[in-house]
Amino acid sequence: MAAHIAEVRALQVLDSRGKPTLEAEVRLTDGSVGSAQVPSGASTGRHEARELRDGDGGGYAGQGVAAAVASVNGPLASALRGLPAGNQERIDRVMINLDGSADKSRFGANAILGISCGHARAAAASAGLPLWRALAGARQAKIPLPIVNILSGGMHAGRQIEFQDFLAVPHGCTSIAESLEAVAAIHRSMREILARDGRAPSGVADEGGWGPRLDSNEQALEYMVRAIAEAGYDPGNQVSIAIDVAATHFHREGEYHLASEGRSLDAAGLVSLLERWAREFPIVAIEDPLAEDDWNGWRGACRALGSRCALVGDDLLATNPARLERAIESRAANAVLVKMNQIGTLTETLQVVDRALEAGFAAVVSARSGETEDSFLADLAVAAGAGYIKIGSVTRSERLAKYNRLLRIEAGWEKAVPEGLAPLRPLRHDEKRGRVRVNNA
Ligand code: PGA
Ligand code: ZN
């Protein structure tokens, strides 16, 4: 007999910034158990599902998640107990309907997502499948190319420079193992170069990359090229650059304020600056080049840069099916960043990846700046066939939990599966020199 949900519970735990988050556990009648921990962003967008925090008077200066834990232990557990396990869509639908709000603010997206992922793990255990295989269903599972944080700015590193992430894209590598060796070497050579220039950082930033004092965003691009070359890789041919402009967070009253460069630009001005940099530096992907509601600016960016770069919507799309649809129709982006807690259920997350790939968008499964040791994203990226994963740098164990899980999956340690399911497609890159394939279909 198929297993049913026997118990659902939650606990307040801590994330990589020492901030409370939620772990949920789902227990089935056949004894299978699955648990999941929920991440949390710093540079969050307006269109994300609501993370429930206790606020004034609550523990951890109001950052506690006791109310979200209570949502799980009370109404959500009551609604789910006794339901058959394994039908992820039904479980997620029950929670969405019971919550009733458009942004999951009643029970909290953190409460709902914890259960959603915990249930997926319990169901996979019950079926005797590795998580990625259970999640994949009929999809073509595929090892993703990692896009790896090397330098941080913006809200993740004390706003030394405005752009939030400078990342290495090791598209010349043919496996996760090779990719990690390349980016670890680049991460190391970056520190050496910064130290030589008297900019040695004393520690790493929120996502494990370096957050040094820099004079400008352009200087960060110059350092990226130097670090890639000094690590022994050919910039543009073996390893290219991605940036997360995170423009929402320096956009005020219609202007983009680049304080470190002493100038403010309108959308067209910022796009032409990015265009110039995309010509001068081997940039293959630009995330959030414009703010979360600047649809016109985004369309302009697509016209100017869309044939050369992946233009990745993070704050713009918020892993939201309706916003993705609008971007597809209006040609406002050509790639989507996928963060489960921006939307709050696994079902809606997979729906976004499926639709993006179908529309010829690239999909980048992404961690948050506040993470946990949960490795769920590794399995999700593989299962969804997303093609790309962005989970931070190669230091800090909340990042390594995911990279190391990808190594296990790639090595075949998680491959004991029944026949009939599609084999894992190895990492393969057919990009022309230095270019990330935008059309992933
Ligand atoms: P966040 O940053 O988790 O702080 O939102 C990650 C990103 O912007 O990609
Ligand atoms: Zn982002």
Side-chain angles (χ1 to χ4, degrees), residues 272-356:
S272 42
L273 179 65
L274 292 170
E275 239 189 308
R276 177 163 73 75
W277 286 345
R279 273 195 307 272
E280 291 172 9
F281 299 96
I283 296 173
V284 293
I286 306 177
E287 183 179 328
D288 283 355
L290 296 154
E292 60 197 344
D293 289 308
D294 191 351
W295 289 93
N296 270 331
W298 273 89
R299 274 191 293 275
C302 265
R303 282 192 300 272
L305 284 155
S307 62
R308 254 181 302 155
C309 292
L311 296 169
V312 190
D314 173 9
D315 292 347
L316 177 79
L317 304 178
T319 317
N320 182 305
R323 293 183 72 84
L324 173 64
E325 214 49 55
R326 179 170 173 189
I328 292 168
E329 276 162 26
S330 61
R331 297 173 188 270
N334 60 21
V336 59
L337 200 77
V338 180
K339 290 168 165 170
M340 289 195 288
N341 78 327
Q342 282 182 326
I343 188 69
T345 65
L346 184 53
T347 299
E348 291 161 291
T349 303
L350 284 167
Q351 189 189 333
V352 163
V353 180
D354 291 345
R355 177 67 183 119

Side-chain angles (χ1 to χ4, degrees), residues 143 145 170-179 410 426-429:
I143 294 283
L145 178 67
H171 49 75
C173 298
T174 55
S175 65
I176 291 288
E178 237 184 73
S179 301
E410 177 171 271
L427 189 68
R428 201 184 54 206
H429 294 287

Side-chain angles (χ1 to χ4, degrees), residues 7 25 81 93 105 116 123 147 170 179 189 197 223 240 266 338 343 354 381 391 398:
E7 196 47 74
E25 186 180 82
R81 224 175 277 129
R93 188 57 50 203
S105 51
S116 188
I147 299 178
S179 301
S189 69
D197 286 1
Y223 273 118
S240 292
D266 61 8
V338 180
I343 188 69
D354 291 345
I391 44 185
E398 78 276 8

Side-chain angles (χ1 to χ4, degrees), residues 362-430:
V364 183
V365 168
S366 171
R368 299 306 306 237
S369 51
E371 268 295 334
T372 71
E373 65 272 25
D374 196 321
S375 62
F376 198 103
L377 286 186
D379 290 74
L380 175 71
V382 170
Y388 305 97
I389 190 166
K390 181 189 122 171
I391 44 185
S393 202
V394 286
T395 67
R396 301 185 58 131
S397 288
E398 78 276 8
R399 315 286 150 191
L400 274 311
K402 288 119 176 121
Y403 287 123
N404 291 341
R405 172 83 184 161
L406 285 171
L407 287 170
R408 282 180 65 95
I409 295 173
E410 177 171 271
W413 284 24
E414 299 289 333
K415 225 196 237 162
V417 290
E419 339 128 317
L421 294 168
L424 197 63
R425 205 195 294 168
L427 189 68
R428 201 184 54 206
H429 294 287
D430 55 358

Side-chain angles (χ1 to χ4, degrees), residues 47 57 66 70 75 99 130 132 140 148 182 187 263 313 328 370-371 428 433 441:
H47 304 288
D99 178 86
W132 68 266
Q140 173 66 65
V148 181
H187 187 266
R263 52 181 164 173
I328 292 168
E371 268 295 334
R428 201 184 54 206
R433 300 156 62 86

